[in-house]
Amino acid sequence: KRMEIVEASDDEEEVDATKPKEEPQKPERDAGKAPVEPFADIQLEHSVAGVEKAKDTGNKLFQEGKLAESERWFSKAIWLAEVSGKVAAPDNLRSILHSNRAFARLQLSEWSAAETDCNKALELNGNMAKALYRRALARKELKKFQAALDDVKQLLPLLEPPQTQNAQKLKDELESKLAAATAPAMNGKNRAEDPPAKPASPSQPAGFKRMEILEASDDESEEEAAPVAKPKEA
């Protein structure tokens, strides 16, 4: 009976033990499939109108102070406009989306992400004043003072009074920070050339000069207080 069982399987293809076993070919991952849609709870029509709706909702949520939720809606709009492959959104709309998300991220203290969004907005619209200003703010927080100052210098010719007020204030602050950053190096260079210090007089206590230097750098710790306009609906 055992022989019958063995013979009954003779019609099957024999496996050559000398050949390496071939692995079944796996289909390419996600080949031909649409990108995974983020924020599945946010349902939008796959059209420019859907992108506009997400932008308007993001603006409304921002005005209500719901910053994280606002950032999600802007992110969904950007995905629909740039990643889904189903919507041909105009560059102007895409630049507004990135600039508005950058503003939300600034308020959430996400400096690097805000800078990246501004970079993208300016790739799409190189003279976008809001994106330049917001990138300068982000770069200031990242201590990229020279790059931030370059942004403000590019921004100022695009503005008319009284819009220049906040930008000029930011420019002055950045120039002050850059001056404070270079002052220690200059002081170290000049210290060797200074004449020997005279003994302190009764009217001028020892350490008086050092106190002057410390007070001169107090402006370095001041925080930016310039108000920023909220993103306008396009």
Side-chain angles (χ1 to χ4, degrees):
K1 188 173 181 180
R2 179 177 177 80
M3 286 299 294
E4 288 178 3
I5 295 172
V6 173
E7 289 173 0
S9 64
D10 283 348
D11 60 337
E12 297 180 5
E13 183 179 356
E14 295 183 0
V15 177
D16 188 346
T18 63
K19 292 183 179 181
K21 185 177 180 181
E22 295 183 2
E23 294 289 337
Q25 188 174 1
K26 296 180 180 180
E28 293 185 11
R29 188 176 182 179
D30 296 333
K33 293 183 180 180
V36 177
E37 185 169 351
F39 311 114
D41 57 311
I42 300 176
Q43 297 295 318
L44 295 170
E45 178 184 322
H46 287 187
S47 64
V48 174
V51 176
E52 290 277 5
K53 178 182 177 181
K55 182 202 69 174
D56 293 343
T57 303
N59 286 342
K60 182 175 181 293
L61 289 165
F62 185 95
Q63 292 166 1
E64 294 172 354
K66 300 174 182 177
L67 302 176
E69 190 65 15
S70 170
E71 193 266 352
R72 290 178 73 245
W73 278 83
F74 288 136
S75 295
K76 183 61 175 265
I78 290 169
W79 176 87
L80 187 56
E82 298 183 348
V83 182
S84 70
K86 298 180 179 180
V87 179
D91 288 352
N92 182 58
L93 175 56
R94 292 165 57 205
S95 66
I96 291 171
L97 290 171
H98 281 284
S99 179
N100 285 6
R101 186 171 69 173
F103 194 21
R105 287 175 166 178
L106 278 174
Q107 305 307 310
L108 293 166
S109 300
E110 297 176 3
W111 316 125
S112 293
E115 181 188 24
T116 299
D117 264 330
C118 290
N119 289 342
K120 184 63 178 179
L122 290 165
E123 285 178 16
L124 296 163
N125 182 356
N127 290 323
M128 190 175 191
K130 287 182 179 180
L132 280 168
Y133 183 68
R134 290 164 185 172
R135 187 168 71 176
L137 291 174
R139 286 176 167 177
K140 185 197 77 169
E141 297 296 341
L142 293 168
K143 301 190 184 304
K144 299 179 180 180
F145 300 136
Q146 185 59 58
L149 182 58
D150 292 342
D151 282 340
V152 177
K153 288 179 177 179
Q154 183 181 346
L155 167 66
L156 281 168
L158 304 176
L159 303 177
E160 295 181 1
Q163 294 176 327
T164 57
Q165 184 176 357
N166 288 343
Q168 185 61 51
K169 183 176 179 180
L170 179 58
K171 178 176 179 288
D172 294 343
E173 181 187 0
L174 291 167
E175 288 175 339
S176 177
K177 288 181 179 295
L178 284 168
T182 56
M186 292 300 296
N187 287 341
K189 181 179 178 181
N190 295 334
R191 192 172 291 120
E193 302 172 2
D194 290 343
K198 295 181 180 180
S201 64
S203 60
Q204 181 175 310
F208 179 76
K209 186 176 181 181
R210 177 171 178 79
M211 284 298 296
E212 284 188 319
I213 295 172
L214 289 175
E215 288 173 1
S217 66
D218 284 349
D219 59 343
E220 187 174 356
S221 65
E222 292 180 1
E223 293 293 332
E224 171 65 14
V228 183
K230 295 181 180 178
K232 296 181 179 179
E233 300 178 5

